[in-house]
């Protein structure tokens, strides 16, 4: 039983220290519409994108456009997760 436990701990430890992904995006705006460009990286290109636009709406597209109902500053966050469970979040202000 001790050998199995030791192997499990090593596997969990390896995964937690070997994360090779990072969320990042840029954006441009025209009026109330903001275009987001996901430039994240991951050890596998097969990752999911979860956008939080800071107005109670979300998107799971890779490079979404979003139209806000009022002008202002919004704290937008992108969270990515790849197929080996590496997860990372990046946030920036969109105007």
């Amino acid at each position: 039983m001790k050998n199995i436990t030791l192997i499990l701990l090593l596997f969990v430890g390896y995964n937690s220290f070997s994360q090779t992904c990072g969320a990042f995006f840029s954006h441009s705006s025209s009026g109330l519409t903001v275009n987001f460009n996901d430039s994240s990286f991951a050890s596998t290109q097969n990752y999911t994108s979860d956008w939080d636009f800071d107005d109670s709406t979300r998107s799971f597209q890779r490079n979404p456009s979003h139209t806000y109902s009022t002008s202002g500053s919004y704290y937008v966050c992108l969270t990515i997760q790849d197929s080996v469970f590496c997860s990372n979040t990046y946030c920036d202000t969109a105007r």
Side-chain angles (χ1 to χ4, degrees), residues 62-94:
R62 185 64 58 98
N63 297 302
S65 291
H66 183 68
T67 302
Y68 290 95
S69 59
T70 59
S71 62
S73 296
Y74 295 90
Y75 194 63
V76 177
C77 293
L78 167 63
T79 301
I80 65 164
Q81 182 171 331
D82 71 11
S83 59
V84 292
F85 302 107
C86 180
S87 180
N88 192 255
T89 299
Y90 173 78
C91 300
D92 194 12
T93 302

Side-chain angles (χ1 to χ4, degrees), residues 37-72:
N37 181 34
D38 181 349
S39 53
S40 303
F41 65 90
S43 58
T44 65
Q45 288 302 311
N46 194 16
Y47 64 87
T48 60
S49 301
D50 180 2
W51 296 86
D52 179 345
F53 296 120
D54 193 27
D55 65 352
S56 300
T57 60
R58 300 180 90 84
S59 174
F60 299 99
Q61 296 177 339
R62 185 64 58 98
N63 297 302
S65 291
H66 183 68
T67 302
Y68 290 95
S69 59
T70 59
S71 62

